[in-house]
Amino acid sequence: MTAGFNCCCCRCCSCIDCSYYKEPDSWIKITQMLLSILCQWLCMSYGMPYSSSLGASYSVYLTTCSGSIITSAVLLITYTTSVTSKALVRRSAYEIIFHSISSFLFFSSSAYLSWAVQTVLWPLYMNLSYHAAYVPMSICYILGVVMGIIHAVEAFRSHRRR
């Protein structure tokens, strides 16, 4: 297997193996990372003024998104740069544990954020005609449930792969 990129008459960046990006697992990891980035951006853009009102649910949700972004990015970099590490990590219990914990954290933090959004932001949304935080924060906890499902499916797939 030849790694790197063809550049004129030579091969560049031979430490990078892009064959991983042809597998469906890579697209799931990229989707996890992009959805987490979207959720974090929505929370930071629209929820920050209400972070004290939303309480710990806001912080827990942001922490869950941050952990998912960082871990997915590290796994993508690892899988891209080392075929041996990819095989070792995928056969270990790491991915099963990571996806199981992430799934639980996304489900629980989304439920908690949902409760906080409904009790704090819903009355504001109903009373103020141009209140902009309710809809994006609702999208956040809905995407959190989607992320929980994706991580649960990945935990199951990782368990079957072992």
Side-chain angles (χ1 to χ4, degrees), residues 52-106:
S52 60
S53 301
L54 293 172
S57 66
Y58 182 78
S59 302
V60 169
Y61 189 80
L62 275 179
T63 304
T64 301
C65 288
S66 298
S68 179
I69 292 167
I70 290 170
T71 307
S72 295
V74 167
L75 287 174
L76 279 171
I77 291 167
T78 301
Y79 294 169
T80 303
T81 55
S82 175
V83 175
T84 307
S85 294
K86 178 178 88 171
L88 290 173
V89 171
R90 289 177 118 188
R91 276 187 269 143
S92 70
Y94 177 77
E95 276 208 9
I96 299 168
I97 294 168
F98 163 65
H99 289 299
S100 299
I101 291 173
S102 291
S103 177
F104 171 75
L105 287 174
F106 269 110

Side-chain angles (χ1 to χ4, degrees), residues 39-60:
C39 290
Q40 191 168 28
W41 176 78
L42 285 171
C43 276
M44 297 298 283
S45 297
Y46 295 98
M48 189 62 83
Y50 305 98
S51 62
S52 60
S53 301
L54 293 172
S57 66
Y58 182 78
S59 302
V60 169

